[in-house]
Amino acid sequence: MQRMPAWADAFLVPLISLVIAFLISGIVVRAIGQDPVEAMRIMVQGGFGSAYAWGYTLYYATNFLFTGLAVSVAFHASQFNIGGEGQATLGGLGVALVLLYIPWPHWTIALVAAMIGAAAFGAFWAAIPAWLQARRGSHIVITTIMFNFIAGGLLNYLLVNWMKPAGSMDPSTARFGEAVRLPTFYDLPLVGQYFTKSTPANITFFIALLACFLVWLLLWRTRLGYEIRAFGKSEKAAIYAGISPFRIIMLAMLISGALAGLMAINGTMGGQKRLILNAVEGAGFIGIAVALMGRNHPFGVLLAAILFGFLYQGGAELSLAMNIPSQLVTVIQALVILFTGALDNMVRAPLERAFAAGRRGGAPQGQGGP
Amino acid sequence: MALTGLAGRHSDAAPADVPPAIELRGISKAFGPVQANRNISIRVGKGTIHGIIGENGAGKSTLMSILYGFYRADAGEILINGRPTSIPNSQAAIRAGIGMVFQHFKLVHNFSVVENVILGAEDGALLRPSVDRARRLLAELARDYELDVDPDALIEDLSVGHQQRVEILKALYRHADILILDEPTGVLTPDEADHLFRILANLRDQGKTIILITHKLREIMEITENVSVMRRGEMVATVRTAETSPEQLAELMVGRKVLLHVPKGPASPGRTVLEIEDLRVRDDDGVERLKGISLQIRAGEILGIAGVAGNGQSELLEVLGGIARGTGSVKLNGVPLDLAGRNADGRSRRRAGIAHVPEDRQNLGLIMDFTAWENMAFGYQDDPAYQKNRWLMDNEALRKDAMGKIERFDVRPADCWLPAKSFSGGNQQKIVVAREIERNPDLLLVGQPTRGVDIGAIEFIHRRIVALRDAGKAVLLVSVELDEIMSLADRIAVMFDGRIMGERLPDQTDERELGLLMAGVEATAGKAA
């Protein structure tokens, strides 16, 4: 028996959570002596109010789209991949190796090659925990989180000892060539007129949209997706149906890792144009919140990714424009994650009761136990 | 009901002036729509061993969980030594002098015996005095009851039988006067079981009251004074063990129902389809569940497997269906099946021509959150007819196929977009049966085809199974419903304790004889009764 209409589950619950999160954020802003209404105005203006704002919001959203999709795909196979951070880090390494050591004639070919590099390195980094889970039963949450640290350490070592240009003090690679620079929104026809040259949002955003569609296609239109979802719902039933748990865990995690790795196309290839330390900047973890809020559906992930892109960009503007420390902006972001993700049930349970009460008013229904 | 005659034999063990150690009055408990216990009353005399017997799912464990404070009864009263007692949690049960030995032990494996015994019952902040006291007590108990265990051994180094003794010691350490043992011999070797019974007899002789939950008739006959029989959440009889017999208990456990008539002509068996030789299966704990099964099924024949639930029937279905692994030899149409290698999976079995209606449709046969049309293809998702091209599935074809099956099997409501969990039990089962039968398999495995299914659907499903037989296919039918076996099967094999006790023809046997075989009583010559 459906307890709540689907639309309420998909939209109303996150919306109410969001409103509560912003109300509490308002109280926090008030508590440090600033005007919450003004703060909200600056955030919205800074995140959505101009082409410049959109240019940044969508740039961040692209990162979160990839990591959010990564978490979603694994989640459908009941694998909680919290290693998006490490997989995206390795993805960056893949991009850098492809772009630094091969002279690409044109950005299009370079993009394809860099995508293969990013996806392969990300998938590889997810494959080891996946294998350990599928064959040895090591819990994937533990192993993926450990692999985040290993990835960070590995990149640090490689940058400092091998990949940094001679004489440089900065633990980062040399800039990629001008030939492999990805077109930003400014370079694109039609939309280009609205954006300035400094807009970081680039063509990767459209690749992310395509990935969104392909993930939807994978999950609900392919046999593999069918098997992933069946396995995720019931491992016992999947075994009855002849679905190999090993195969599903491996494939779901490989796809998940590849998606996380692809994030580096946006950041490393499109944004920084060189491989820097900590290029991922927590986007791997934000991906968990994005997937949670998006109900692990690609369309929901898209909306949630744009929301978090807005929080990042609007928050940055906020700390610039008002006397609000950047740590407090992090608090606001954390409140949104807390309410839309962790405290989801706090909103859902009363809402379900409200809907149930509404239904009882209409027609009496035989309700079973909880 | 055939049971009314037994009501007069309802007996109290204890003399009238001593209140029973435990008295339950009108206990009822429902989980959602499932009535696990219905108006149960029972009196357990002080200083006796009282058996509670019934099939899996009869409600025994629920009743004991109520007594031990895990669940609260919806209605009814508990009296301990004649005093009404409320048992809201297990601490209250322990205070009331009740100790429980679970089927799956609740021990800390890297703790020693003495540490496990005092765990949760330490005297104070310091461990030392408790440990010393426990050590002294363990020595006394070992002497008095043959309950000897090395107090400093680690649990993980002990055999299962010894671990069970630790559980009993734990209860006694907490001053239990009433001991409940839930299927205590399921994990024991025969020698260990005999030792356990000696311990229990000693405890009884010292005035302890013991409730023994089991589905093994031999144990009941051997050690109990009184026995209560449960079936489908009801207490159907309580009798003195000395005045009953295994066959009567078997009959009470399985129960009789209105015999359903299945219109079916005589079978015309053809070539051998399934040939099983010395099939063995171990469960995850390494306990052998199938102990060398050999049988054959021919084309156009329904072989019914009768038996009390939990005697290896599930494992037989699982190993044939590619879910469990085993050893031995199984040939389908003369071709050996892979029992433990790469191809010992459901996919290979389906490809070989085996369809499987599993016993547990909600956990195995269906994905409850999937729609009906997704479920109608479950297990056959790689069928070329379901693919649009190399990459994509043809969901349109799946839905069309599902609607056809829904129509032919009269699934209600006839809506292929509803999730499986929204259908009633009978209609869920029709979804599974439709999916498996319409594959037209050479061998159909069917487990409990009509459990929790309404009368109308039962008849429908039976007809379909017979129709498949008449089309020259082989059917392996596992059911704990004796009449279902009697009316549907062309040949009956009775399973007990992982073995085939014997084979009978339905028109040359009766429920009495089958009941004896189900109880593990070796058949005497012919039909001596």
Side-chain angles (χ1 to χ4, degrees), chain B residues 185-200:
Chain B
T185 57
V187 288
L188 300 185
T189 64
D191 275 355
E192 287 174 324
D194 286 342
H195 191 146
L196 173 69
F197 288 162
R198 279 204 304 280
I199 293 170
L200 294 183

Side-chain angles (χ1 to χ4, degrees), chain A residues 1-2 217 220-223 226-227 229-231 233-234 236-244 247 368-369, chain B residues 323 345-347 350 356 358 363-365 367 369-370 374 377-379 381-382 387 391-393 395 435-436:
Chain A
M1 176 133 339
Q2 203 73 28
L217 209 63
W220 282 283
R221 287 293 181 276
T222 68
R223 192 163 75 229
Y226 179 95
E227 294 186 348
R229 287 184 297 121
F231 175 80
K233 295 280 185 199
S234 167
K236 275 177 78 178
I239 292 170
Y240 156 80
I243 297 168
S244 152
R247 181 170 165 268
Chain B
I323 298 168
D345 67 343
R347 199 181 295 255
R350 283 177 181 81
H356 182 186
N363 286 315
L364 246 57
I367 301 281
D369 287 330
F370 271 19
E374 284 172 309
F378 191 50
Q381 62 274 8
D382 45 5
Q387 319 302 324
W391 305 99
L392 298 180
M393 282 182 97
N395 286 358
R435 182 181 72 207
E436 301 301 325

